[in-house]
Amino acid sequence: GGGNFLFNVGSDRDGLIPAQARVILQQVGEWLGRNGEAIYKSQRANVGWVNFGMLTVKGTTMYLLVDRWDGSDMTLGRITGTARSARLLATGTPVQMRQDGPRIFLTGLPENAPDIPYSVIAIEFEEVPRHSSGPSTLNPTYAWFDPEVGIV
């Protein structure tokens, strides 16, 4: 499955878009200008549990759309495939990365979110990334319940 953007914007009685809505639409357009690669012609990435935002995939690139930025280190798990590189999508700034089996460790990230409402990290793989078994989290301090193994 995919998704869509739904904008609840209507015109006023004169047929004009209200000023506040125009500002928001402008901001959305600017964000898409920086990060649209993670949205347009992409699909939802089904690679495990996430509690930081969303994942999309297009070809061999997986996009982490992070709305809960927790500092300079992040870990992502439950992924098969060999990750080659990572970068902040909006700026192209390389992200330090290492992979240990199904886990990918991102380090040296900015302490604060570099973009709002979602900061996007693009991870390039040698092949299409797939779901793997085992725990998955962006920040190891978060926990969730997996019916097969209990609290992870």
Side-chain angles (χ1 to χ4, degrees):
N4 66 350
F5 280 119
L6 177 62
F7 296 107
N8 187 13
V9 176
S11 59
D12 62 17
R13 67 177 180 235
D14 297 323
L16 302 173
I17 302 294
Q20 183 179 11
R22 283 196 310 272
V23 169
I24 293 169
L25 290 171
Q26 180 69 35
Q27 291 171 341
V28 168
E30 291 169 359
W31 185 90
L32 284 169
R34 295 185 302 275
N35 298 291
E37 177 183 324
I39 303 297
Y40 298 119
K41 297 184 181 179
S42 69
Q43 299 176 21
R44 179 177 53 205
N46 295 312
V47 294
W49 296 86
V50 294
N51 56 9
F52 59 86
M54 297 175 282
L55 296 170
T56 63
V57 67
K58 182 171 26 174
T60 58
T61 305
M62 184 171 61
Y63 302 93
L64 288 66
L65 288 83
V66 183
D67 69 348
R68 295 184 189 149
W69 195 269
D70 257 351
S72 62
D73 298 324
M74 297 180 185
T75 303
L76 184 68
R78 281 185 128 165
I79 299 172
T80 61
T82 303
R84 295 184 313 171
S85 64
R87 63 188 161 90
L88 294 174
L89 186 57
T91 63
T93 303
V95 171
Q96 296 172 19
M97 177 202 75
R98 73 177 175 83
Q99 185 171 8
D100 183 10
R103 291 187 183 249
I104 297 172
F105 300 90
L106 304 172
T107 60
L109 295 166
E111 283 295 324
N112 297 309
D115 210 348
I116 56 168
Y118 291 93
S119 296
V120 182
I121 300 171
I123 302 177
E124 304 289 339
F125 286 81
E126 289 183 6
E127 60 280 313
V128 175
R130 302 266 186 230
H131 176 78
S132 173
S133 61
S136 170
T137 181
L138 185 65
N139 182 330
T141 61
Y142 289 11
W144 67 92
F145 183 78
D146 183 322
E148 293 183 22
V149 296
I151 296 291
V152 179

